[in-house]
Amino acid sequence: MANTSYPDDPTDILRDVLQLERVDADEDSSLFKGFTPTQTRGQVFGGQVMAQSLVAASHSVEPDRLLHSMHCYFIRPGDASVPLNIKVDHHRDGRSFSVRHVEVTQHNKVILSLTCSFQLEADGVAHQEPMPEGIPMPDDLPPISSLVGMIDDPAAQDLAYNRPFDIRYAYEPIFLRPGSEKVNRNIVWMKTFTPVEVSRNVAGAALAYVSDYTLLESILRNHGVSWIEPKKSIASLDHAMWFHRPFNLDEWLLFVQESPSAQSARGLGMGRIYTITGDLVATVAQEGMIRLPQFDQ
């Protein structure tokens, strides 16, 4: 049974994350504070810091300039007990593009550095990689709460009831055991539980948030590793996204993830996000540190 301290609507967690407190602003920079929702662990989810950085940056551009790319480095773990200090430097506003650099600090140290770009919409050439065929539909797949919600453990309860997105696995999940087949691919459907009324730029920030949950699983699945592997150490190092087309957060999105390479205790995950009708809305890449006990002897 779900912990009664969890919200009735888990998407409220996302709504809280996307609300920032403006501290100061001038022609060259903007300052905001971001807050971490109540949680059982002491570190801030990396997707949250990315999302709040993108929200802050979006507040510094005109609404018709749309987020099209972001690149960031995770430098230090975030402390969930104190606010995040978010500084946006207004690097450039050109005729078509605006570039922003964001630094997030806590305890006077940088925990994330992010650069992003916004563009006025324009006509031009258009094509996309098609969505894979034969993927099970989301309504035919179980929610995470039905897979681990009965486990009396804080991590399992958080996974089941304390995430703002409904995520459903096209392959068997690797929460408790390795996948039955070693493949460098992971596929999930995802959407918010309830509608979130935000601008297109803030929706992009929310998509960055959810993209950080599963991207490294393509690496783990390929090497027969589960999330409960003892003595493992996994951390996101960097994250990049390119935003192609509009989407709705409360409609199913297909996240197709693959790992082209792993080496030197690092692994690369790459992903494409599609609407249920096959529009490619974003491309994602993330490198993570993957330290497993059999290689640390």
Side-chain angles (χ1 to χ4, degrees), residues 1 29 38 57 97 105 146 178 182 189 209 216 237 241 255:
M1 181 177 296
S29 65
T38 302
F97 291 88
T105 60
S146 71
K182 290 184 178 180
W189 290 97
Y209 180 107
L216 298 182
L237 299 173
M241 286 187 77
F255 194 6

Side-chain angles (χ1 to χ4, degrees), residues 272-287:
R272 303 187 306 275
I273 302 176
Y274 295 89
T275 65
I276 199 167
T277 55
D279 290 333
L280 179 63
V281 301
T283 302
V284 192
Q286 182 182 87
E287 190 171 48

Side-chain angles (χ1 to χ4, degrees), residues 122 132 162 213 254 268:
N162 208 32
Y213 276 132
L254 183 70
L268 179 64

